[in-house]
Amino acid sequence: MENLIKFVQDEFVTRNELPDFSAGDTITVYYEIKEGEKSRTQFFRGVVLQRRGTGTSETFTIRKMSGTVGVERIFPVNLPSIQKIEVNKRGKVRRARIFYFRELTGKKARIKERR
């Protein structure tokens, strides 16, 4: 049964060509929003907290600060409305999921850059 589901997902779900990124990287996701007849492109720039799942059900979580409030957004990797993803900075972290980043403020909330 699992093999059948995996086969159908691999055959029929369109895969987006995305750059390589992981937890700790700062990325910008450009995605399309449809409002009635009109559509516009919006972007969400923040730090990747995690990548989760495999294959067509893979998702990634991005966190940004909007003023003093932290905003997190979960994007499926194969979301058709994602136009492109830019990697702004490569972060050097030791973990695959950096949820401890939520509690950090000020200078502690900086991530070292990978060179």
Side-chain angles (χ1 to χ4, degrees), residues 46-63:
V47 177
V48 179
L49 293 186
Q50 70 171 345
R51 282 187 78 155
R52 177 182 203 151
T54 58
T56 55
S57 62
E58 188 177 354
T59 61
F60 57 95
T61 305
I62 302 179
R63 178 180 176 85

Side-chain angles (χ1 to χ4, degrees), residues 59-100:
T59 61
F60 57 95
T61 305
I62 302 179
R63 178 180 176 85
K64 76 171 183 179
M65 292 301 292
S66 180
T68 57
V69 180
V71 180
E72 288 183 15
R73 179 122 194 222
I74 300 170
F75 289 99
V77 169
N78 292 317
L79 190 67
S81 61
I82 291 181
Q83 292 176 337
K84 68 176 178 175
I85 294 179
E86 289 178 353
V87 179
N88 303 104
K89 272 196 251 176
R90 299 239 177 237
K92 180 177 180 281
V93 293
R94 293 183 175 189
R95 298 179 172 271
R97 303 202 168 144
I98 54 171
F99 297 131
Y100 65 86

Side-chain angles (χ1 to χ4, degrees), residues 16-69:
N16 288 345
E17 292 298 317
L18 302 178
D20 231 20
F21 63 91
S22 61
D25 295 351
T26 303
I27 65 172
T28 307
V29 179
Y30 294 89
Y31 58 99
E32 193 175 33
I33 295 177
K34 291 189 175 87
E35 294 170 333
E37 305 292 304
K38 298 178 185 175
S39 68
R40 61 187 171 89
T41 301
Q42 192 170 0
F43 68 89
F44 194 89
R45 176 181 290 140
V47 177
V48 179
L49 293 186
Q50 70 171 345
R51 282 187 78 155
R52 177 182 203 151
T54 58
T56 55
S57 62
E58 188 177 354
T59 61
F60 57 95
T61 305
I62 302 179
R63 178 180 176 85
K64 76 171 183 179
M65 292 301 292
S66 180
T68 57
V69 180

